[in-house]
Amino acid sequence: MIPPGFIQELLARADIVDVVGRHVQLKKAGINHKGLCPFHGEKSPSFIVSPSRQTYHCFGCGAHGDVITFVMETEGMQFRDAVEKLAGEAGLEIPRDNPEARERAERQDTLAGVMELSAKFFESQLGGSAGRAGLDYFRRRGLTPETIKRFRLGFAPDGFEALKSKLAKENIPEAVSLESGMLVKNEDTGRVYDRFRGRVMFPIMDAKGRVIAFGGRALGDEKPKYLNSPETPLFHKGRTLYNLNHAQKPARDKNEIIVVEGYMDVIALAEGGFPHAVAPLGTAL
């Protein structure tokens, strides 16, 4: 449970005009700001944002709330996810209930850092000579540069220590890289090496857009064709849907969600104008 005092501090720290302004073109109207309501179609602005009260109100449809409510409604987030997003932007750390919870949160933050570094590495490889085969694959599948960027697609170079070397240069302890699932250890030889090699990479994100795992597709006849991250403190495949971070808002707006089999099905639908598609990660529906 998030302490009420922290919520009050967050509401005081977060700038509702700035947050709403990412979604609505606001104009100064006296002490308030006015714009077209994002919750219903209108031609004359009836949506008011009050900096002094840190609230918004629409005189057309009655929508009303604070900055947390606005993030929940516009981005399809649950309460805690919205609070965590705003807290991160405001530079606030959510108090943890006990030492175990604090330790768990710090551990997850550390692993999330490894996953983000890995995602950036794979993205950079796709744009270089080493990732040419991966980029050709995505182009053959009809993906635009915008789609590749939006889904943060990448390439894991062939070789056993490309990512391992990158993480070591970033001073990530090998034990942490192993726990993240990005490296694997041969128990017979003791050798530690990259889990993903010679594959196009699909980052798997949580509802907040944080990279928590990867799926990798082989370009040749390697088995398995698809290789996913193992279960980690960050990633539980039975509780994760691919593309939920992008799909949750349009799915909420349409009151429907499309469930398909795999990564490319989701991406193809998104390119075709159906952004509210998700895929399970190797688990039965």
Side-chain angles (χ1 to χ4, degrees):
M1 180 178 178
I2 302 175
F6 177 82
I7 298 298
Q8 294 305 314
E9 181 181 2
L10 177 61
L11 292 174
R13 185 82 68 91
D15 185 351
I16 192 170
V17 174
D18 179 57
V19 174
V20 173
R22 301 171 198 166
H23 299 266
V24 180
Q25 186 174 355
L26 297 173
K27 292 185 177 180
K28 196 83 163 62
I31 63 172
N32 297 321
H33 291 74
K34 179 181 287 189
L36 296 175
C37 179
F39 303 115
H40 80 287
E42 61 177 11
K43 296 182 179 179
S44 299
S46 59
F47 184 79
I48 303 297
V49 179
S50 170
S52 59
R53 296 180 179 179
Q54 285 291 298
T55 59
Y56 64 87
H57 182 81
C58 178
F59 290 94
C61 68
H64 179 86
D66 56 28
V67 67
I68 299 174
T69 309
F70 186 83
V71 171
M72 291 173 64
E73 293 295 333
T74 56
E75 301 190 27
M77 288 187 172
Q78 298 296 318
F79 177 78
R80 187 178 186 91
D81 290 338
V83 169
E84 289 183 354
K85 176 182 174 66
L86 289 167
E89 293 174 351
L92 297 174
E93 184 175 348
I94 299 176
R96 306 298 173 180
D97 297 333
N98 52 60
E100 290 79 11
R102 284 195 296 272
E103 181 180 351
R104 183 168 59 251
E106 290 171 359
R107 184 180 175 198
Q108 289 184 342
D109 287 344
T110 299
L111 294 176
V114 175
M115 305 310 283
E116 179 62 25
L117 283 171
S118 301
K120 288 180 177 177
F121 175 74
F122 294 142
E123 286 177 290
S124 70
Q125 294 298 302
L126 185 67
S129 58
R132 187 168 297 148
L135 189 57
D136 288 344
Y137 168 79
F138 287 133
R139 286 172 173 168
R140 287 198 304 273
R141 298 297 298 265
L143 303 192
T144 65
E146 292 75 21
T147 296
I148 290 172
K149 183 177 180 180
R150 175 174 172 77
F151 285 90
R152 302 192 64 183
L153 305 180
F155 183 76
D158 212 355
F160 282 82
E161 297 190 352
L163 179 61
K164 178 184 176 182
S165 297
K166 173 64 176 177
L167 295 177
K169 288 179 181 177
E170 297 292 338
N171 298 316
I172 303 297
E174 189 174 273
V176 174
S177 297
L178 282 166
E179 186 178 23
S180 74
M182 300 313 298
L183 302 184
V184 63
K185 184 175 183 178
N186 185 311
E187 296 300 333
D188 294 329
T189 64
R191 184 183 182 186
V192 175
Y193 52 91
D194 295 356
R195 179 179 297 274
F196 299 98
R197 306 179 302 280
R199 293 173 180 266
V200 288
M201 299 300 292
F202 300 84
I204 298 166
M205 305 177 196
D206 63 13
K208 294 175 287 185
R210 183 177 61 169
V211 180
I212 58 173
F214 288 91
R217 186 195 189 279
L219 293 178
D221 297 326
E222 295 88 350
K223 302 296 181 183
K225 182 177 178 181
Y226 280 95
L227 177 66
N228 289 336
S229 289
E231 299 256 330
T232 71
L234 271 183
F235 175 55
H236 305 281
K237 68 179 182 180
R239 300 206 299 266
T240 306
L241 290 171
Y242 179 69
N243 195 46
L244 182 61
N245 57 309
H246 291 143
Q248 56 191 345
K249 174 61 169 56
R252 186 169 183 166
D253 291 344
K254 294 176 178 291
N255 197 33
E256 70 174 25
I257 195 162
I258 302 171
V259 184
V260 294
E261 183 180 6
Y263 309 122
M264 286 302 302
D265 300 321
V266 167
I267 295 171
L269 281 169
E271 282 208 321
F274 298 90
H276 52 303
V278 297
L281 299 167
T283 53
L285 291 177

